[in-house]
Amino acid sequence: MIRLGAAYLTMGLLLAAYALLGALDRGKPNRWRDSLFFALLAASFLIGDRLGDLVNGLLVIGLVALAAIGRRAPTVRAAGDEPLRLAGALRYKDRLFLLALITPAVALGGAVLLKGARIGSQPLFDPKQITVISLALGVVIAFLASLIVLRERPVRGVQEGRRLMESVGWAAILPQMLAALGAVFALAGVGHSVAVLLGQVLPVDNRFAVVCAYTCGMALFTVMVGNAFAAFPVMTAAIGLPLIVQRFHGDPAIMGAIGMLSGFCGTLLTPMAANFNLVPVALLELPDRWAVIRAQAPTALVMLAVNTGLMYALVFRF
Amino acid sequence: MATWLPLVGVAVVAVGFLIRLNPMLVVLLAALGAGLGAGFPILKVVAALGHAFNENRYVTLIWLILPVIGLLERHGLQERARQRIARLKGATTGRLLLVYMMLRQATAALGLVALGGHPQMVRPMVAPMAEGAAEARLGVLPDKVRHLIRAHAAGVDNIGVFFGEDIFIAVGSILLIHGVLQGAGIEVDPLKLSGWAAPSAAAALIVHGARLLRLDRKLARQVAEARAANRTSLEAQEAP
């Protein structure tokens, strides 16, 4: 069965190449810091499973220390590249779009088609990880196709990847860090604490107040931990099930569906949801860390009100 | 142990982001705060963080795509996206982003969540197209306007997928709702869950769609304001 190992190996080697090429790039500001950062991350991908939990933890602390010192350098594009870009746009035309769409297309096709692929009775791919495996497969195919069509050498692709990765910087691993934080929160019983405290302060005799507490609680807890999936079990156990369902006989399906979407309103508002709100800031080279959240906030707040209204109107009726 | 002590972690997150600490540092401190608050020894907290970091490496695999994007951008992908949209009559930033949001929502509702995302679609194609559409109508854009357009390009990708995916029954959030309710002894039909997500999805399309259509006017206004400010500052310089 094909698991994530091959994808981790590819990622590890790519990061090691970034570390090496970065160290050789004499003109670059902060070159040793960036190089060491990629080297540590490469180690995590290549041998993370053999390091043991404590060493992995120290590795995380090392990454954080390197991320926290100094500022991220702005992306530098060599001025001489512009004629090449304009010429490329004229020469390759829409073939550039086709090449760009290979990865999503393969990721998609893989997720749908490969799910059932079997050798004998063994599934060919680990079903839980099929999306990520298909993504990695799509990238490899797109990379090879781009090299052929654009007549470039592989090292040029790696250099271009390094340039982009350096401009994204530590934001690239922030989502992984936050996922890890979620696991530590769960271990420490953060959700349980919230549920106990909420149970003590909530008014229980008013339907609208209870619905409000549930939807706004979902959004607020999601803002704090960055993930509606972490908020849902907590809020549902604390407010949804005991009050909306058991006390006022609301419909659990309506409560669950709209409750989750209320959490998503919180996701649109929080820097803790880094992959949605902070990664694009780095990727699109925006100077304001809150720019994407600012663009989303009015919609998120209106939708939270809409969800609250919808739940109040529907949940006690069906 | 007091019940509220693990919440130190949550407080660290809130304060850390408010005082603009480096987010990586915030995460580390929050993990330590929550773990120590729960009464674990520090080495156990560090090990737990390390274990979870290692288990979640797949989250970072998305960046494998950067060499492909880099190569295509080197040969003019963004320029091509701009040219393509500039030639399209009637294309405005707001309308373009609305079309992308509808596509993202519709494909996510069919379970095709992978067909989008910031590194794959927004940076190389959607954002340059949105900028190109504004440039075609308004001329050279001030940086402030350019950044606003990019932020909205990132936003539609998020809003589209969030309010689309719950209509598909096999998606993670539906499975989670189903699982949590099942754990409480309540059996619900996943189809019913996805059906009740539809009104919110429609509302999101209306609310955000209306904002996107108004975005064009806002962009035009900001460009005009920037030009006027430029002119007055030039005149002020010329005046003795």
Side-chain angles (χ1 to χ4, degrees):
Chain A
M1 189 160 68
I2 297 177
R3 289 172 194 272
L4 280 175
Y8 284 168
L9 181 66
T10 316
M11 188 72 189
L13 293 175
L14 187 62
L15 287 163
Y18 290 168
L20 187 67
L21 293 171
L24 294 173
D25 187 352
R26 285 173 187 279
K28 200 176 87 65
N30 297 322
R31 73 174 151 139
W32 292 112
R33 186 200 64 182
D34 288 358
S35 185
L36 197 54
F37 185 84
F38 290 140
L40 278 182
L41 201 54
S44 167
F45 273 94
L46 292 172
I47 53 169
D49 288 331
R50 269 170 276 161
L51 288 180
D53 291 346
L54 187 60
V55 177
N56 269 317
L58 295 174
L59 187 144
V60 170
I61 293 177
L63 287 169
V64 171
L66 289 168
I69 52 172
R71 298 211 157 269
R72 199 153 25 101
T75 349
V76 254
R77 283 212 187 85
D81 284 351
E82 195 175 340
L84 185 66
R85 294 207 302 271
L86 290 172
L90 283 177
R91 182 165 168 205
Y92 300 111
K93 300 209 168 75
D94 292 345
R95 267 177 287 169
L96 293 166
F97 295 139
L98 289 180
L99 290 169
L101 289 171
I102 289 177
T103 310
V106 174
L108 201 67
V112 177
L113 298 175
L114 299 180
K115 201 173 260 177
R118 282 167 183 282
I119 298 179
S121 64
Q122 273 283 322
L124 181 57
F125 297 95
D126 187 337
K128 270 180 274 174
Q129 297 160 339
I130 194 92
T131 341
V132 190
I133 296 172
S134 322
L135 175 85
L137 194 66
V139 167
V140 172
I141 295 174
F143 188 62
L144 294 177
S146 302
L147 290 178
I148 294 168
V149 173
L150 307 173
R151 295 197 194 96
E152 288 278 18
R153 289 182 314 155
V155 67
R156 169 55 63 190
V158 177
Q159 288 283 25
E160 292 296 321
R162 174 172 75 89
R163 186 176 60 77
L164 289 175
M165 191 72 172
E166 279 167 358
S167 81
V168 175
W170 48 260
I173 60 162
L174 191 55
Q176 187 186 341
M177 283 289 288
L178 285 159
L181 176 64
V184 174
F185 272 11
L187 192 72
V190 169
H192 174 73
S193 304
V194 172
V196 169
L197 291 182
L198 273 178
Q200 289 166 357
V201 296
L202 223 69
V204 289
D205 48 356
N206 181 315
R207 288 179 181 205
F208 186 71
V210 165
V211 167
C212 247
Y214 182 60
T215 54
C216 297
M218 272 298 297
L220 198 65
F221 196 66
T222 304
V223 165
M224 291 191 297
V225 297
N227 189 338
F229 288 12
F232 186 77
V234 174
M235 286 297 148
T236 304
I239 307 174
L241 290 171
L243 297 177
I244 296 180
V245 173
Q246 277 151 23
R247 191 180 162 100
F248 294 118
H249 309 290
D251 181 274
I254 298 175
M255 178 197 75
I258 303 182
M260 183 62 90
L261 289 168
S262 306
F264 287 180
C265 296
T267 315
L268 293 172
L269 292 169
T270 177
M272 291 292 284
N275 43 350
F276 298 112
N277 298 333
L278 292 188
V279 163
V281 166
L283 205 53
L284 298 171
E285 293 157 44
L286 300 175
D288 175 10
R289 191 193 283 173
W290 299 85
V292 175
I293 293 177
R294 243 187 266 281
Q296 294 168 166
T299 303
L301 294 173
V302 172
M303 281 311 299
L304 181 57
V306 169
N307 281 328
T308 307
L310 276 174
M311 191 186 294
Y312 182 64
L314 298 172
V315 78
F316 303 117
R317 193 154 298 175
F318 290 89
Chain B
M1 181 193 89
T3 322
W4 56 270
L5 266 176
L7 293 179
V8 170
V10 178
V12 170
V13 167
V15 174
F17 272 108
L18 281 181
I19 63 171
R20 318 204 74 159
L21 273 184
N22 179 296
M24 292 278 285
L25 195 58
V26 174
V27 173
L28 178 63
L29 295 177
L32 293 176
L36 295 177
F40 300 139
I42 187 157
L43 285 183
K44 186 178 171 189
V45 184
V46 172
L49 185 65
H51 178 78
F53 185 80
N54 197 53
E55 290 296 304
N56 283 292
R57 282 176 297 175
Y58 68 91
V59 175
T60 301
L61 279 180
I62 180 68
W63 302 110
L64 272 175
I65 200 175
L66 288 186
V68 177
I69 301 293
L71 272 181
L72 294 173
E73 286 189 356
R74 180 178 154 83
H75 289 278
L77 176 62
Q78 292 198 356
E79 280 70 13
R80 179 65 190 163
R82 267 174 218 183
Q83 293 165 0
R84 204 86 176 77
I85 207 73
R87 266 193 263 138
L88 211 62
K89 288 256 182 313
T92 68
T93 304
R95 285 181 208 160
L96 175 85
L97 291 180
L98 179 58
V99 169
Y100 180 70
M101 178 175 153
M102 287 158 78
L103 284 174
R104 184 88 168 111
Q105 219 179 350
T107 49
L110 297 171
L112 311 178
V113 178
L115 205 69
H118 300 118
Q120 308 96 305
M121 295 292 275
V122 177
R123 168 167 169 136
M125 285 181 279
V126 179
M129 281 186 174
E131 283 180 46
E135 272 165 0
R137 286 175 58 241
L138 305 169
V140 181
L141 302 175
D143 277 348
K144 188 183 154 202
V145 175
R146 205 171 277 287
H147 293 151
L148 180 67
I149 295 173
R150 289 185 196 166
H152 271 283
V156 288
D157 192 270
N158 287 336
I159 294 170
V161 75
F162 287 1
F163 289 98
E165 63 167 37
D166 261 23
I167 298 178
F168 184 64
I169 53 167
V171 83
S173 48
I174 296 288
L175 299 178
L176 178 72
I177 300 170
H178 185 256
V180 168
L181 294 177
Q182 200 174 35
I186 299 170
E187 203 52 59
V188 293
D189 182 0
L191 259 179
K192 217 179 147 199
L193 287 176
S194 61
W196 286 116
S200 296
L205 182 60
I206 294 169
V207 170
H208 201 65
R211 285 190 62 216
L212 288 175
L213 293 179
R214 287 176 52 184
L215 179 65
D216 289 324
R217 259 176 286 161
K218 186 173 175 184
L219 296 176
R221 199 174 58 233
Q222 286 199 353
V223 170
E225 274 167 16
R227 290 220 178 105
N230 236 339
R231 219 172 297 129
T232 34
S233 75
L234 279 180
E235 279 161 12
Q237 274 171 17
E238 282 161 15

